[in-house]
Structure formats: structure tokens, C-alpha cells
């Protein structure tokens, strides 16, 4: 494989005050999640710009532009497609190993579907997640409010892993999908 076709965090020019997130999926989920990222970013009024890049395959990014800076990669799984895990695995060949250390994650885009409609088992997804040591988040991306909540959670994950200053605590978002009440002592 040509080493020039490996996506590295420092590939291209580093963009000052810009966080770049690459969303990889072969479905309409890319556009929906990208829009949610932008809305979540606006609502939280961060001091930096957010750039969302979408593509069906990681190697497409090299065709999109000669220089692209990527800080974090989100792989979106469509469990109706029996080849979704193989698609992610084939894309990992084009990503530098340093992304494995907290710079990428998996999103199950349709956890609400019936088991009879799933062509990938929950056990297979968990095993894949463990094999590559990637966080897995579940959210119905087609539901606008749920997708916006997912984008918030992903931004918290990105901030925690990349050391970006947070305006809110990330811990409750990562440990539960439910509201957590903290009582003052």
C-alpha cells in the first residue's frame, strides 16, 4: 500500500482553532450526523471552528482535496448491511495507527431496529469494538433530537480524547444515556 494514502492526524495543514471530524459511512447517515455536529457546536458556543468532512470511504478524502486535516474519525454502522463491519475494517487500512489511541469511534446508527432486521449481530459489533479498542455509541441517527444528542456526546468524547477545553463536564455523557442527578453535600 502506498504510504501517501494513509490518513495521519498531521496530514495536510493543521488548521488553527479548527476541529476537523471525518464521518465515514456509505449511507445518508453521514449528512445527518454532520448537520447535527454543526448544530451542537453552534449551541455550545465553542471558541473554535468545527469542520465536518463526510465520505463513503477513507481513501476518498485524498480525492476530495490535496491537503485535509483530520483530528477525529467517526465510523457509522448501518446494521442492516451485513458488510458494515468489513467496510470499517477495510477503511482502517487507510488510517494511521495513532488514530486507534482515542481518535476514532463507532456509531451504531440504527439500534432501534428489530433483531430480525439486523444483518450484523450485537455480539459481532461488540467483538469488533473490542478488537480495535474503539468506543461504541448507539443512537437512532434518523431522529433529529437523538442525533443532536449523539453529536453532543461525540463532541464530549472528542474533547476528552484530544485535550480540547470543555465548557461542560463530559463524564455524565459518557457513562449513561440517562439523566444523572448530583446532590450537593
Amino acid at each position: 500500500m502506498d504510504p501517501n494514502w494513509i490518513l495521519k492526524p498531521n496530514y495536510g495543514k493543521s488548521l488553527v482553532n479548527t476541529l476537523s471530524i471525518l464521518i465515514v459511512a456509505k449511507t445518508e447517515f453521514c449528512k445527518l450526523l454532520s448537520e447535527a455536529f454543526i448544530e451542537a457546536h453552534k449551541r455550545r458556543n465553542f471558541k473554535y471552528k468545527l469542520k465536518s468532512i463526510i465520505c463513503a470511504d477513507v481513501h476518498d478524502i485524498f480525492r476530495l482535496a490535496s491537503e485535509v486535516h483530520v483530528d477525529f474519525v467517526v465510523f457509522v454502522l448501518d446494521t442492516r448491511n451485513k458488510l458494515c463491519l468489513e467496510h470499517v475494517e477495510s477503511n482502517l487500512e487507510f488510517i494511521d495507527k495513532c488514530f486507534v489511541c482515542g481518535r476514532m469511534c463507532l456509531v451504531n446508527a440504527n439500534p432501534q431496529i428489530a433483531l430480525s432486521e439486523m444483518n450484523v449481530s450485537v455480539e459481532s459489533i461488540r467483538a469488533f469494538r473490542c478488537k480495535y479498542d474503539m468506543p461504541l455509541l448507539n443512537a437512532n441517527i434518523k431522529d433529529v433530537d437523538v442525533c443532536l444528542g449523539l453529536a453532543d456526546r461525540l463532541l464530549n468524547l472528542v474533547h476528552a480524547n484530544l485535550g480540547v477545553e470543555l465548557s461542560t463536564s463530559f463524564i455524565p455523557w459518557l457513562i449513561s444515556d440517562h439523566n444523572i442527578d448530583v446532590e450537593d453535600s
Side-chain angles (χ1 to χ4, degrees):
M1 180 181 310
D2 183 352
N4 293 324
W5 284 79
I6 302 294
L7 180 66
K8 298 179 181 181
N10 59 356
Y11 176 76
K13 295 178 182 175
S14 179
L15 303 173
V16 178
N17 295 324
T18 302
L19 178 64
S20 298
I21 299 175
L22 175 63
I23 305 168
V24 182
K26 285 193 174 269
T27 63
E28 74 279 6
F29 296 134
C30 273
K31 187 172 188 296
L32 296 170
L33 186 54
S34 177
E35 291 168 356
F37 265 127
I38 292 172
E39 181 60 30
H41 179 264
K42 284 179 189 174
R43 289 182 180 191
R44 292 170 69 175
N45 199 25
F46 289 117
K47 298 175 185 174
Y48 62 85
K49 297 175 190 170
L50 177 72
K51 184 176 181 181
S52 177
I53 306 162
I54 59 176
C55 63
D57 293 293
V58 172
H59 58 81
D60 291 342
I61 199 168
F62 298 103
R63 286 178 238 170
L64 293 172
S66 61
E67 293 188 356
V68 177
H69 179 80
V70 175
D71 295 302
F72 197 86
V73 181
V74 177
F75 290 103
V76 181
L77 301 175
D78 181 357
T79 55
R80 296 170 297 179
N81 177 352
K82 67 180 179 179
L83 300 176
C84 67
L85 293 176
E86 287 83 358
H87 177 252
V88 173
E89 195 158 39
S90 69
N91 275 280
L92 290 174
E93 293 177 24
F94 298 98
I95 294 183
D96 190 81
K97 300 299 178 222
C98 71
F99 274 102
V100 175
C101 301
R103 297 188 120 192
M104 62 183 178
C105 73
L106 296 168
V107 171
N108 178 3
N110 45 17
Q112 78 290 351
I113 65 173
L115 290 176
S116 61
E117 294 179 45
M118 289 181 67
N119 288 311
V120 178
S121 71
V122 173
E123 293 78 21
S124 297
I125 294 170
R126 285 187 184 134
F128 187 87
R129 184 205 72 74
C130 289
K131 178 180 178 181
Y132 292 103
D133 196 25
M134 282 192 269
L136 169 67
L137 290 93
N138 294 296
N140 178 4
I141 289 183
K142 289 186 177 180
D143 180 316
V144 176
D145 292 332
V146 172
C147 191
L148 186 57
L150 171 65
D152 268 331
R153 290 170 55 204
L154 285 167
L155 284 174
N156 288 332
L157 181 64
V158 170
H159 291 159
N161 287 329
L162 297 181
V164 178
E165 183 182 331
L166 289 171
S167 62
T168 60
S169 173
F170 70 94
I171 294 172
W173 290 95
L174 292 178
I175 61 175
S176 175
D177 288 337
H178 308 287
N179 291 334
I180 298 174
D181 294 326
V182 179
E183 296 181 25
D184 292 321
S185 303

